[in-house]
Amino acid sequence: MSKLTHFNEQGRAKMVDVSEKTETVRTAIAKSSIIVNETIHEQITEGTNKKGDVFAVAQVAAIMAAKSTSSIIPMCHPIPLTGVDVRFDWLVDETTAHFEVQIQAEVKTKGVTGVEMEALTAASAAALTIYDMCKAAGKEMVIGPTMLLRKTGGKNGDFDRTEQ
């Protein structure tokens, strides 16, 4: 049986000691999505949302969330991020009235621990911000799924999700 790394001798949670790990370049890409109604789609694409530029605010929220991940996820280490990029793409089928924002967050660092949680947090925060900015035009929005698409670096090697 493998030793559980996040528990001390008393069986209590602890932050893993990463001081002996090798510093490498590490990246992670996560995605989320949010399904919106036609009115919200129009507000975002036409720039008429009363709270402002929805994607601009969501992008800043995602970057702030990536940088703050260790403040809200208890066992995450504070990581000096070297880059955060967030993309928004529409998946639209007007015949079925399906309007979906695809969110992709890429996070990079050079350090001793990975940035998967930072990428997942960024993608989630972007979706939540879009919800917050648009809820006056419809609360039936659906967030998710949220998932890790890719990660590089570290002793466990690379991960690349084949089903996206």
Short mmCIF file of all heavy atoms in Angstrom, two decimals, residues 19 21 41 70 78 101 110 120 126 130 133 150:
data_model
loop_
_atom_site.label_atom_id
_atom_site.label_comp_id
_atom_site.label_asym_id
_atom_site.label_seq_id
_atom_site.Cartn_x
_atom_site.Cartn_y
_atom_site.Cartn_z
N SER A 19 10.20 20.72 -0.90
CA SER A 19 11.50 21.39 -0.91
C SER A 19 12.59 20.58 -1.62
O SER A 19 13.56 21.15 -2.09
CB SER A 19 11.94 21.75 0.51
OG SER A 19 12.00 20.60 1.33
N LYS A 21 12.00 18.61 -4.32
CA LYS A 21 11.62 18.32 -5.70
C LYS A 21 12.44 19.17 -6.67
O LYS A 21 12.88 20.27 -6.35
CB LYS A 21 10.12 18.59 -5.90
CG LYS A 21 9.25 17.55 -5.18
CD LYS A 21 7.79 17.85 -5.32
CE LYS A 21 7.28 17.49 -6.69
NZ LYS A 21 5.82 17.66 -6.81
N HIS A 41 -26.24 35.59 -25.05
CA HIS A 41 -25.33 35.49 -26.19
C HIS A 41 -25.25 36.83 -26.92
O HIS A 41 -24.16 37.33 -27.23
CB HIS A 41 -25.78 34.37 -27.14
CG HIS A 41 -25.00 34.30 -28.40
ND1 HIS A 41 -25.50 34.77 -29.60
CD2 HIS A 41 -23.75 33.84 -28.66
CE1 HIS A 41 -24.58 34.58 -30.55
NE2 HIS A 41 -23.51 34.02 -30.00
N SER A 70 -3.89 29.14 -4.03
CA SER A 70 -3.46 28.62 -2.73
C SER A 70 -4.22 29.26 -1.57
O SER A 70 -4.22 28.72 -0.46
CB SER A 70 -1.95 28.81 -2.53
OG SER A 70 -1.63 30.19 -2.45
N PRO A 78 1.59 28.09 -2.60
CA PRO A 78 1.67 29.35 -3.35
C PRO A 78 2.73 29.18 -4.45
O PRO A 78 3.83 28.72 -4.16
CB PRO A 78 2.11 30.39 -2.33
CG PRO A 78 2.06 29.72 -1.00
CD PRO A 78 2.00 28.25 -1.22
N VAL A 101 -20.35 29.08 -24.20
CA VAL A 101 -19.02 29.68 -24.16
C VAL A 101 -18.04 28.60 -23.70
O VAL A 101 -18.20 28.03 -22.62
CB VAL A 101 -18.94 30.87 -23.18
CG1 VAL A 101 -17.53 31.46 -23.17
CG2 VAL A 101 -19.97 31.93 -23.50
N LYS A 110 7.79 28.00 -13.51
CA LYS A 110 9.04 27.24 -13.40
C LYS A 110 9.21 27.01 -11.92
O LYS A 110 9.50 27.95 -11.17
CB LYS A 110 10.22 28.02 -13.98
CG LYS A 110 11.50 27.22 -13.95
CD LYS A 110 12.64 27.95 -14.64
CE LYS A 110 13.87 27.08 -14.64
NZ LYS A 110 15.01 27.77 -15.25
N LEU A 120 -7.38 24.94 -13.42
CA LEU A 120 -8.78 24.58 -13.14
C LEU A 120 -9.51 25.71 -12.42
O LEU A 120 -10.68 26.00 -12.71
CB LEU A 120 -8.83 23.30 -12.31
CG LEU A 120 -8.46 22.03 -13.06
CD1 LEU A 120 -8.09 20.91 -12.08
CD2 LEU A 120 -9.60 21.59 -13.97
N ALA A 126 -13.63 32.02 -14.42
CA ALA A 126 -14.13 32.68 -15.62
C ALA A 126 -15.60 32.35 -15.84
O ALA A 126 -16.42 33.23 -16.11
CB ALA A 126 -13.30 32.28 -16.84
N ILE A 130 -18.79 34.97 -15.68
CA ILE A 130 -19.77 35.14 -16.75
C ILE A 130 -21.19 34.99 -16.19
O ILE A 130 -22.07 35.80 -16.48
CB ILE A 130 -19.52 34.14 -17.90
CG1 ILE A 130 -18.19 34.49 -18.60
CG2 ILE A 130 -20.69 34.12 -18.88
CD1 ILE A 130 -17.69 33.42 -19.56
N MET A 133 -22.03 38.16 -14.23
CA MET A 133 -22.23 39.32 -15.10
C MET A 133 -23.56 39.25 -15.86
O MET A 133 -24.09 40.29 -16.25
CB MET A 133 -21.08 39.42 -16.12
CG MET A 133 -19.70 39.63 -15.54
SD MET A 133 -19.32 41.33 -15.15
CE MET A 133 -19.32 42.11 -16.74
N ARG A 150 -4.51 19.16 -20.25
CA ARG A 150 -3.10 18.82 -20.47
C ARG A 150 -2.27 19.36 -19.33
O ARG A 150 -2.59 20.39 -18.75
CB ARG A 150 -2.68 19.48 -21.78
CG ARG A 150 -1.34 19.15 -22.30
CD ARG A 150 -1.12 19.71 -23.72
NE ARG A 150 -2.14 19.24 -24.65
CZ ARG A 150 -3.04 20.04 -25.25
NH1 ARG A 150 -3.02 21.33 -25.06
NH2 ARG A 150 -3.93 19.54 -26.07
#
